[in-house]
Amino acid sequence: MPFQIRPADNYDVAEVVRVIKSVYDEYGFTWEPERYHADLYDIERHYASPEAFFVAVDCEQVLGTVALEVFPAIPGEPGTTTLVEGFWRCCGAECSLERLYVDPLARRRGVGQGLSAYVIESARSAGYQALELWSDKRFVDAHRLYERLGARVVGERICDDPDESPEWGLILPLV
């Protein structure tokens, strides 16, 4: 089935939460709407330009989500990690791919690849040099996707999510 990718807004909140929470339920992760997931309840405010939040939709049903976050370049030697405000980050990155989730019933349709490629092209078009990705170590299919798109693992950390999930850090050169 075909799908289209478009910017999300606050009218999409219920569907965005449904998709991401379904993945959290699948993996037994803790849902925390007041803190770790608060960004999802006011997409327009949290992802104001130059940041962006996108959804893949089929007949207005959200199949997947992804976000682009922008920040000053992380100092240090590209291809390494460094502590920034007590949190491990990928050196040289000035944007990140965030909140990539695909509804379990919509997997194997190219939704994750389409959303990832869309964010990567958006970042390239904006002139960014490198994109970081942090992904729970259990998301093996996502890691294979990121590596096919040109990312490589450069570090690991414990996430600040409620479950303190172990994550791989990947960097994707954009030039």
Side-chain angles (χ1 to χ4, degrees):
M1 294 176 84
F3 60 88
Q4 69 177 109
I5 297 172
R6 64 168 173 76
D9 58 31
N10 284 346
Y11 292 106
D12 295 307
V13 166
E15 277 288 290
V16 166
V17 168
R18 179 192 61 77
V19 167
I20 297 175
K21 190 169 184 320
S22 72
V23 176
Y24 268 66
D25 291 346
E26 175 184 8
Y27 282 86
F29 295 150
T30 302
W31 189 258
E32 198 177 60
E34 300 83 24
R35 190 184 77 79
Y36 191 74
H37 301 100
D39 61 307
L40 303 174
Y41 293 89
D42 191 354
I43 292 168
E44 292 173 15
R45 183 186 61 76
H46 186 82
Y47 295 96
S49 184
E51 298 183 351
F53 197 100
F54 302 100
V55 289
V57 296
D58 180 15
C59 298
E60 292 309 307
Q61 179 180 8
V62 174
L63 306 176
T65 68
V66 72
L68 175 66
E69 289 200 349
V70 177
F71 41 80
I74 305 296
E77 182 66 29
T80 64
T81 57
T82 189
L83 277 173
V84 175
E85 297 178 12
F87 213 52
W88 288 101
R89 302 295 301 274
C90 297
C91 298
E94 58 212 326
C95 60
S96 63
L97 183 148
E98 301 285 340
R99 300 290 193 198
L100 177 66
Y101 293 98
V102 176
D103 184 318
L105 299 175
R107 292 187 186 146
R108 306 281 181 233
R109 291 176 45 189
V111 174
Q113 177 157 338
L115 286 164
S116 298
Y118 196 89
V119 162
I120 291 165
E121 185 52 39
S122 296
R124 276 193 181 113
S125 295
Y128 299 118
Q129 304 293 303
L131 179 137
E132 78 173 347
L133 307 99
W134 288 92
S135 180
D136 188 287
K137 289 184 176 182
R138 290 177 275 185
F139 294 164
V140 177
D141 289 339
H143 306 150
R144 281 194 291 268
L145 168 63
Y146 298 149
E147 289 173 349
R148 279 196 317 269
L149 293 170
R152 64 184 174 84
V153 174
V154 294
E156 58 187 299
R157 70 181 183 188
I158 300 298
C159 185
D160 68 340
D161 67 6
D163 302 306
E164 297 183 340
S165 302
E167 296 182 314
W168 292 118
L170 301 92
I171 191 85
L172 192 149
L174 297 171
V175 292

